[in-house]
Amino acid sequence: MASHAATDERKTTVSVTLPTDPLLVQLNQVALERSGPKRAVVESTSVAQSGRYRVLSGGKTIAEGELKPLPDFSAWGTGKRYFEADFSSVQTPGVYRVEATLDGRRVKSAPVRVRDQALFATTADKLLDYFHRSRHTGKGDRRIRIFETERVVDVHGGWKDAGGDTGKYLSHLGYANFFNPQQTSMAAWALAYTADASADLYRRAGLLKRAQDEAFWGADYLHRILDAEGYFYTTVFDKWGAEGAERMVVGYEGDDGRYTTLYRSAYRAGGGMAIAALARASMLARQSGRHGSFDGKTYLADAIKGFDHLQQFNAQYTANGVENIIDDYTALMAAVELFNATKEARFLDTARTRADSLMRRQAADGGFISDGGSRPYYHAVEAGLPALSLGHYLDIETDDTRRAHATTVIKAALQHEVDITRRVSNPFGYARQSFQLAKDGKAEGPVMEGFFIPHRNETGYWWQGESARLLSLSTAVAVAGRKVSPTLPADWAAFAQDQVDWTLGRNPYGISMLYGFGQRNPPTVASSAGDMFAGGISNGITGAVGSDTGEGIAFGPGPDDEQWRWVEQWIPHSTWMLLAATAMAQSR
């Protein structure tokens, strides 16, 4: 994820402010499921207490009704009233607009397509294209040095991490212990898993071979970054392309990209998801009769080798020498996928051990604790992965008592997400989170709640828009939620859709973060955010600049060298969108 990703020296000043129109209709501008929730949010500067809406197909009224007033909301600015237009009853495929009439004013929304398997059918082609266009194809990575050694290794391939960052990361932020995001290895797993488990879906869309090819591209890279000793290289980095910086296998720390020796991936630093990805790629190779530069047997041998190594050395590879919740859920994913690939009992045993450890971290309110103390689990990228990992664990667990326990934990975890989100006035249904502020690199003090990740956190500098976090929560509901409740509770379904809708334009800025889709996309800022590809997703909206707690709201306010926080496309966002799209399509 770029911090100072300025390889293009052109300077562009861009500022994106909240719209001040007296009447706005915000909705998902891309795709809504025919049988799913459909909600528009109407913003008004009028004091009017009531109004009406119409759902239009061309010039024809398909549905109409009274706008529903929503509770007062001033967390992101004053002077507005909010209303809801719920048109979930519209289930005929088509393209629709929502028109609102209030206090003598009338305004229409952007158009949105309604159909079956809408999100997948509309976006999958360009999501795959984004991965393909993000491939790292330079020849330089065929011979690079490992930090503080004279060893030279071939680590070519993989994907560049972000629009302005040609680095390749299984995970960054490892030095902060609780902030590791799953990056390249998560993308490799998502592509292999969906190409395997959702093969018919891709086939009907004419996309199966492309999905398989991209999955094998990822698996090939993971093979190359598996050291002979059994650990994966965490990072291929050159200080965001800084002049004179040597590109090498290295760890790095902080906003100045200080090189460190933390280049051996722990479970939480991408090692767990690398194992899961290779195991699933071996299954995909077996099922499809195809493979990349290496074959399915090699992928599986790599996965087992990496697993055996981390079972022995994982804690040594963490920054603080202590495993935490991220180790649990990534190791759980690794063990589940190895069991799926081999049916060996030892992998089920490990999955049970990791699932037990993860479930013991659940607090009374259904949320999770990150450490062995009281730090709440909050994550700007993969907040849904704990519940999702338990959902995949259910697929291999045969013991009724263990299944019942995991089911209870998943239900409580998902209900917690809904409850904390609805605890305050929240017209857009944006997923809220618990957190602590950091002091001297450690979270401490009272547990707080808010919409956005706190800017004063253990990383010392890293905060950004949370598109991946939102989509991970939607995925968790669509996958794990349906495993424990085949008919989703209405509030769960609405919560999951709300996060997708926010990303696709139903937000206060009226911006679809998915580039190439919707009426309005984030601005291009080459000097900070680099390339913008259709199918790529920008980081998104944050709390206000200068707010330690992440209160208020901001999107691309400038100056331009900080625009990456909002505008830059990042591989985890499209990864989670692909997972959400396939999960929602398969569940209907």
Side-chain angles (χ1 to χ4, degrees):
M1 183 69 219
S3 170
H4 304 290
T7 56
D8 186 323
E9 294 302 319
R10 291 173 294 167
K11 294 296 180 182
T12 307
T13 300
V14 174
S15 182
V16 182
T17 59
L18 282 170
T20 57
D21 308 55
L23 187 63
L24 290 166
V25 182
Q26 310 285 25
L27 89 169
N28 178 325
Q29 301 169 14
V30 180
L32 288 169
E33 302 296 332
R34 185 185 62 79
S35 60
K38 304 174 191 67
R39 191 168 74 98
V41 175
V42 178
E43 305 177 39
S44 172
T45 58
S46 167
V47 296
Q49 303 294 309
S50 63
R52 292 190 61 81
Y53 73 90
R54 295 194 300 158
V55 180
L56 304 174
S57 175
K60 183 179 179 182
T61 300
I62 303 301
E64 59 184 319
E66 295 286 333
L67 291 172
K68 176 184 175 182
L70 298 175
D72 291 342
F73 180 72
S74 59
W76 299 335
T78 59
K80 285 193 175 183
R81 292 187 57 80
Y82 296 87
F83 300 83
E84 175 185 286
D86 188 331
F87 58 109
S88 301
S89 61
V90 175
Q91 297 194 5
T92 301
V95 177
Y96 299 97
R97 294 178 185 264
V98 175
E99 177 190 84
T101 304
L102 193 75
D103 199 22
R105 297 181 182 274
R106 179 179 297 172
V107 68
K108 294 179 184 177
S109 72
V112 61
R113 179 172 295 278
V114 172
R115 58 162 293 176
D116 286 320
Q117 299 180 336
L119 189 59
F120 179 86
T122 305
T123 67
D125 174 68
K126 289 301 181 185
L127 290 172
L128 291 176
D129 192 49
Y130 165 76
F131 287 106
H132 189 78
R133 296 186 69 182
S134 297
R135 286 184 176 188
H136 193 280
T137 56
K139 295 182 179 179
D141 286 355
R142 292 180 183 272
R143 284 184 57 82
I144 69 171
R145 190 166 62 90
I146 297 177
F147 182 54
E148 293 190 345
T149 77
E150 295 305 315
R151 289 183 59 204
V152 174
V153 291
D154 177 0
V155 292
H156 78 274
W159 300 282
K160 69 174 188 175
D161 189 60
D165 187 354
T166 61
K168 299 183 294 193
Y169 316 98
L170 292 193
S171 181
H172 74 326
L173 304 173
Y175 67 93
N177 293 304
F178 303 104
F179 276 79
N180 277 113
Q182 311 310 304
Q183 291 162 255
T184 292
S185 52
M186 187 75 197
W189 175 78
L191 286 157
Y193 173 75
T194 60
D196 185 39
S198 301
D200 287 344
L201 189 65
Y202 281 115
R203 185 179 293 108
R204 290 194 297 271
L207 300 174
L208 181 58
K209 184 178 183 297
R210 286 175 56 196
Q212 292 171 346
D213 287 346
E214 214 58 43
F216 293 137
W217 177 267
D220 287 345
Y221 175 69
L222 296 178
H223 169 81
R224 295 188 192 101
I225 63 169
L226 179 64
D227 191 85
E229 288 189 21
Y231 59 84
F232 295 93
Y233 305 141
T234 307
T235 304
V236 177
F237 184 56
D238 56 5
K239 294 193 175 183
W240 305 287
E243 185 176 355
E246 181 182 0
R247 186 173 176 90
M248 64 177 70
V249 171
V250 68
Y252 79 90
E253 178 175 330
D255 59 348
D256 59 355
R258 296 184 301 278
Y259 285 179
T260 76
T261 57
L262 200 65
Y263 57 77
R264 298 170 179 85
S265 294
Y267 277 123
R268 69 183 183 231
M273 291 311 304
I275 293 164
L278 286 162
R280 181 57 69 161
S282 76
M283 297 169 64
L284 176 62
R286 186 168 62 224
Q287 178 266 339
S288 67
R290 305 183 67 238
H291 56 81
S293 297
F294 308 100
D295 61 23
K297 291 182 179 179
T298 300
Y299 299 146
L300 183 56
D302 289 344
I304 294 172
K305 182 177 183 177
F307 174 85
D308 288 342
H309 188 81
L310 283 182
Q311 285 294 93
Q312 184 176 357
F313 295 107
N314 186 62
Q316 295 180 30
Y317 295 164
T318 64
N320 63 354
V322 181
E323 291 190 339
N324 65 39
I325 189 173
I326 309 178
D327 294 285
D328 280 344
Y329 62 68
T330 54
L332 176 56
M333 291 293 290
V336 166
E337 289 293 57
L338 278 170
F339 180 79
N340 283 329
T342 67
K343 304 306 179 187
E344 290 185 20
R346 69 184 182 114
F347 298 124
L348 176 58
D349 290 341
T350 300
R352 285 171 170 169
T353 298
R354 286 295 181 173
D356 287 346
S357 179
L358 174 57
M359 292 188 290
R360 283 195 298 271
R361 297 182 189 275
Q362 189 167 50
D365 65 358
F368 290 96
I369 302 300
S370 293
D371 57 8
S374 59
R375 183 194 184 277
Y377 172 73
Y378 51 100
H379 205 294
V381 183
E382 59 201 47
L385 196 44
L388 182 64
S389 69
L390 289 171
H392 283 285
Y393 163 66
L394 280 179
D395 288 340
I396 68 168
E397 184 52 78
T398 57
D399 181 271
D400 288 343
T401 301
R402 290 179 177 276
R403 287 183 57 81
H405 184 202
T407 296
T408 299
V409 169
I410 292 170
K411 286 181 176 179
L414 297 181
Q415 191 60 50
H416 167 74
E417 298 294 344
V418 172
D419 290 346
I420 192 173
T421 295
R422 295 190 169 192
R423 194 169 290 158
V424 300
S425 176
N426 189 355
F428 293 90
Y430 187 93
R432 297 172 70 247
Q433 54 197 314
S434 298
F435 60 86
Q436 289 176 297
L437 295 181
K439 182 178 180 181
D440 298 325
K442 182 178 180 181
E444 61 181 23
V447 175
M448 310 172 72
E449 294 180 4
F451 291 98
F452 304 109
I453 192 171
H455 299 178
R456 200 178 92 197
N457 59 58
E458 290 112 316
T459 70
Y461 83 99
W462 190 86
W463 52 270
Q464 61 163 53
E466 301 168 29
S467 296
R469 178 177 80 92
L470 304 182
L471 296 166
S472 78
L473 291 167
S474 297
T475 304
V477 173
V479 176
R482 289 195 179 276
K483 292 182 189 297
V484 301
S485 183
T487 301
L488 283 182
D491 55 350
W492 290 14
F495 169 82
Q497 188 64 51
D498 283 346
Q499 312 320 311
V500 173
D501 287 353
W502 175 280
T503 308
L504 299 182
R506 203 194 70 193
N507 56 63
Y509 293 90
I511 292 178
S512 168
M513 302 299 163
L514 178 60
Y515 196 76
F517 293 85
Q519 186 167 271
R520 186 183 181 205
N521 290 146
T524 300
V525 189
S527 60
S528 177
D531 296 328
M532 303 284 278
F533 299 143
I537 298 176
S538 291
N539 289 328
I541 297 166
T542 71
V545 176
S547 171
D548 284 350
T549 57
E551 293 180 86
I553 193 168
F555 182 78
D560 61 311
D561 62 352
E562 291 287 302
Q563 291 287 68
W564 65 270
R565 298 187 187 276
W566 301 277
V567 173
E568 190 175 31
Q569 295 179 347
W570 190 30
I571 200 169
H573 304 316
S574 292
T575 296
W576 281 107
M577 179 64 85
L578 184 65
L579 285 167
T582 53
M584 292 171 72
Q586 293 287 66
S587 65
R588 295 183 184 280

